[in-house]
Amino acid sequence: MIIETKNARQTYEVGEKIGRQATPGQVYTLVGDLGVGKTVFTQGVAGGLGITEPVSSPTFTIIQEYEEGRLPFYHFDVYRIGCIEEMDEIGYEDYFYGKGICLIEWANLIEEIIPEDAISITIEKDLEKGFDYRRMIIEGMEKL
């Protein structure tokens, strides 16, 4: 499925729809260049889960945990991961195969441990279509 958005609000709203539809145990991979809107999208997912606290990218902590929504939400940013063993050290399996949902930014860096049934989201820019234009390619979801 391909979804095009024309501003940050629309990108947030796509994430919000995904958050509303999320079920326990789902893993979402999120890939895109720096500044493409991964954090805005993630904030939308959190909003769809009913999380009201501020959501930011956990670049230096690798994971942020949010428990206040209708499901636990585990937001990973593995951009700075040095090796896969670091994921073992934080106990990634407890998150990936738990009762909450996981969203993993820069998931391509740890693809060997991503569950086969993960939902893949790629966000791209196209400056010819405008500065705020985004194209989202979502694989592994029937519909949104």
Side-chain angles (χ1 to χ4, degrees), residues 14-34:
V14 173
E16 190 174 40
K17 285 180 186 175
I18 287 175
R20 282 196 301 265
Q21 295 178 7
T23 59
Q26 285 183 317
V27 174
Y28 299 85
T29 64
L30 186 56
V31 176
D33 292 336
L34 289 170

Side-chain angles (χ1 to χ4, degrees), residues 69-86:
R70 67 177 180 82
L71 293 170
F73 179 45
Y74 308 116
H75 178 201
F76 289 81
D77 183 332
V78 297
Y79 183 74
R80 298 193 186 284
I81 212 96
C83 61
I84 233 48
E85 288 75 25
E86 288 181 54

Side-chain angles (χ1 to χ4, degrees), residues 63-113:
I63 184 170
Q64 292 280 18
E65 299 180 34
Y66 302 92
E67 302 284 343
E68 73 168 291
R70 67 177 180 82
L71 293 170
F73 179 45
Y74 308 116
H75 178 201
F76 289 81
D77 183 332
V78 297
Y79 183 74
R80 298 193 186 284
I81 212 96
C83 61
I84 233 48
E85 288 75 25
E86 288 181 54
M87 293 298 292
D88 287 330
E89 290 171 13
I90 63 170
Y92 79 91
E93 289 179 330
D94 293 337
Y95 298 103
F96 286 16
Y97 303 103
K99 297 183 189 309
I101 72 160
C102 295
L103 188 143
I104 308 157
E105 292 188 43
W106 300 100
N108 54 308
L109 300 175
I110 60 166
E111 60 191 0
E112 60 266 32
I113 63 169

